[in-house]
Amino acid sequence: MSHDQRPARMRVVSDAAASRGNAVAADATGTPAQQAAAKAAAEAEAPKGLPIVPALMFLVACGAGSALVTMLVAGGH
């Protein structure tokens, strides 16, 4: 088996659950009500969905690019 076909070892660079803010600490203390309040506060801070302005800018750029390509192709004939 050649060098580029061997499976590489997987490297973990971060914990996905911790970056979302819903990881449970190993030393979680407090009453269930306090833990629920902390979880609700963390979920309230998390952004919901995609931001609309960058998505619209992407769509406008795609439309402009395709119009440019169409003009270049049609102008060549």
Side-chain angles (χ1 to χ4, degrees):
M1 183 181 299
S2 68
H3 180 71
D4 59 339
Q5 292 177 337
R6 285 187 288 165
R9 292 188 318 180
M10 293 184 65
R11 291 176 280 177
V12 177
V13 293
S14 68
D15 184 9
S19 66
R20 288 192 306 263
N22 58 359
V24 177
D27 60 346
T29 58
T31 65
Q34 290 173 336
Q35 292 175 356
K39 183 178 178 182
E43 289 176 357
E45 293 176 11
K48 303 282 191 269
L50 290 174
I52 192 71
V53 173
L56 289 176
M57 288 176 58
F58 174 75
L59 292 175
V60 168
C62 287
S66 61
L68 179 65
V69 168
T70 303
M71 287 175 38
L72 291 175
V73 169
H77 287 104

